[in-house]
Amino acid sequence: MPKTLHDKTNGVGKLAADAVGKIADTATHAGDKAGKTVRSSTPTGLLQQSVQNLAGTLTERAVAGLSNRASRTAGRLTDYAEGNGGNLLAAVTGVEKLAGGASPLQAALSGGVSKLGHTARETFESVKESLTGGKGKGGTTKLKLTNIVEHIDVGVPIDLAYDQWTQFADFPKFTKKLEQVEQVSDEKLSWTGKVFWSRRTWESTILEQVPFERIVWRSKGAKGYIDGAVTFHEITPDLTRILVVLAYHPGGVFEKTANLWRAAGRRCRLELKHFQRHVMTEAVLHSDDIVGWHGEIHDSEVVEDDETARRKESEEDRADEEDEETEEAEEDEADEQDEDQRAADEEEPEPPPNRSAARRKSPAARRSHESEGANR
């Protein structure tokens, strides 16, 4: 007949009881031997007697402590056998080693190593989940996303700030962690940066670019990448606000570790300050040497290249100049007409006197009128 679970657990309890008996016998034998050794010594004085008493006391305490620990271990195993729960793995491992002739120290070390391994595995899983962001639905790993929102105010016109920003190849000149930026095409860029002691590369594709307004891009990279957008806002003719919104996807071990301390956000804030310093101390002094890209991109396609955009800008500038000249000419003509009118008003002669009134007042006319009345 196969043994039931109850019979097996009773067998384990019996094994534990036997092991406890062996431990107690061994400890008692060790205590008796120590006492005999102490008594066999020839007393030579009060000091030797005190040392003997101390040795005997320590031996008794050690034996009592060992017996108590063995009894508690057997009690826990018995509780488990009776169905009261407990950690069967640690209990069985310790009892088997004690029954096989192992010392109590070796049995305790075996149980401690098992517990340490279990704790280490739990700690590793916890750190792994913190780095990878845990598991999503269906057991798939979900990368942790970091949102970064920063802005700076630059004391230059909006066209100069935009032109300097579109000079991507110049970024490594004034930033700290960017080593190289290659303009593969009008809408594609290749970046090389430094993360701790390692170099990382990623590629960016511009989805939308409207001159002097905004740039939106998406990226990809084996060790992490950054998606984002930047917009330009004219506060005054000589003050521009630049707003940057980034979505950071860490991919490597260094990136994930640094992301725990929000290193990417601090790095973005520092690089923006480097851009602000460069524009206000260098670019503003050589604004004619900075030629930005004025093309337009929509849905990752160039709908208007830089040459066409600049030609349109030139035509608009000429049209604006002609309109200004026309307005100035009309204003000048209107001013001249006003001056002529004022001059004509000042030089206009006084109207001649009324001749009929003069005839009525002249003496000749009065005498002629009187003579006609007398003849009548």
Side-chain angles (χ1 to χ4, degrees), residues 5-121:
L5 178 61
H6 183 70
D7 295 336
K8 291 181 180 179
T9 52
N10 288 334
V12 173
K14 183 178 180 181
L15 183 63
D18 294 341
V20 171
K22 290 182 179 180
I23 293 171
D25 294 340
T26 303
T28 304
H29 179 70
D32 294 340
K33 186 176 181 180
K36 290 179 180 180
T37 302
V38 172
R39 287 192 298 270
S40 64
S41 300
T42 304
T44 58
L46 183 60
L47 181 60
Q48 291 181 352
Q49 185 65 34
S50 300
V51 171
Q52 292 174 2
N53 295 336
L54 179 61
T57 302
L58 293 177
T59 302
E60 291 177 359
R61 287 186 178 181
V63 170
L66 183 60
S67 299
N68 292 334
R69 287 194 294 272
S71 299
R72 287 194 298 267
T73 303
R76 288 195 298 269
L77 188 58
T78 303
D79 291 340
Y80 180 82
E82 293 177 354
N84 295 329
N87 192 340
L88 177 62
L89 179 61
V92 171
T93 303
V95 170
E96 286 181 351
K97 289 186 178 297
L98 288 173
S103 64
L105 179 61
Q106 291 176 347
L109 288 176
S110 176
V113 169
S114 300
K115 184 177 181 181
L116 180 61
H118 182 68
T119 304
R121 286 192 297 272

Side-chain angles (χ1 to χ4, degrees), residues 6-267:
H6 183 70
D7 295 336
K8 291 181 180 179
T9 52
N10 288 334
V12 173
K14 183 178 180 181
L15 183 63
D18 294 341
V20 171
K22 290 182 179 180
I23 293 171
D25 294 340
T26 303
T28 304
H29 179 70
D32 294 340
K33 186 176 181 180
K36 290 179 180 180
T37 302
V38 172
R39 287 192 298 270
S40 64
S41 300
T42 304
T44 58
L46 183 60
L47 181 60
Q48 291 181 352
Q49 185 65 34
S50 300
V51 171
Q52 292 174 2
N53 295 336
L54 179 61
T57 302
L58 293 177
T59 302
E60 291 177 359
R61 287 186 178 181
V63 170
L66 183 60
S67 299
N68 292 334
R69 287 194 294 272
S71 299
R72 287 194 298 267
T73 303
R76 288 195 298 269
L77 188 58
T78 303
D79 291 340
Y80 180 82
E82 293 177 354
N84 295 329
N87 192 340
L88 177 62
L89 179 61
V92 171
T93 303
V95 170
E96 286 181 351
K97 289 186 178 297
L98 288 173
S103 64
L105 179 61
Q106 291 176 347
L109 288 176
S110 176
V113 169
S114 300
K115 184 177 181 181
L116 180 61
H118 182 68
T119 304
R121 286 192 297 272
E122 290 181 350
T123 305
F124 176 75
E125 293 296 332
S126 177
V127 173
K128 182 179 178 181
E129 289 181 2
S130 65
L131 291 177
T132 59
K135 293 185 177 180
K137 296 181 179 179
T140 58
T141 301
K142 183 179 180 182
L143 292 177
K144 189 173 182 180
L145 176 67
T146 300
N147 292 322
I148 303 172
V149 180
E150 297 290 340
H151 76 275
I152 55 171
D153 294 335
V154 185
V156 296
I158 189 172
D159 55 347
L160 179 57
Y162 177 83
D163 287 346
Q164 180 63 72
W165 189 280
T166 56
Q167 295 296 298
F168 301 108
D170 293 342
F171 272 49
K173 296 180 181 178
F174 53 83
T175 56
K176 188 175 182 180
K177 291 299 182 179
L178 282 176
E179 294 185 348
Q180 183 180 1
V181 181
E182 182 182 357
Q183 186 91 35
V184 180
S185 61
D186 291 337
E187 74 281 3
K188 291 187 179 296
L189 300 168
S190 177
W191 305 76
T192 302
K194 194 172 183 181
V195 179
F196 291 104
W197 305 276
S198 301
R199 286 178 174 81
R200 298 288 186 262
T201 59
W202 66 95
E203 296 180 356
S204 299
T205 301
I206 299 177
L207 302 182
E208 185 174 3
Q209 181 169 351
V210 180
F212 314 111
E213 292 186 12
R214 63 185 176 277
I215 302 174
V216 183
W217 70 91
R218 295 290 182 269
S219 304
K220 62 179 180 179
K223 297 295 184 177
Y225 55 92
I226 300 175
D227 299 334
V230 56
T231 57
F232 302 84
H233 310 271
E234 184 179 31
I235 300 177
T236 65
D238 292 326
L239 182 62
T240 304
R241 173 164 295 178
I242 301 176
L243 177 62
V244 179
V245 179
L246 303 178
Y248 177 53
H249 302 263
V253 176
F254 288 155
E255 287 81 356
K256 293 178 181 178
T257 304
N259 194 45
L260 296 176
W261 290 274
R262 300 289 178 176
R266 293 195 296 271
R267 173 53 51 190

Side-chain angles (χ1 to χ4, degrees), residues 186 209 211 293-298 301-313 316:
D186 291 337
Q209 181 169 351
W293 196 81
H294 292 182
E296 192 165 342
I297 299 175
H298 292 286
E301 295 183 0
V302 180
V303 297
E304 186 175 84
D305 57 10
D306 182 69
E307 183 179 356
T308 303
R310 290 187 178 277
R311 185 169 58 251
K312 288 184 177 181
E313 290 176 1
E316 292 177 357

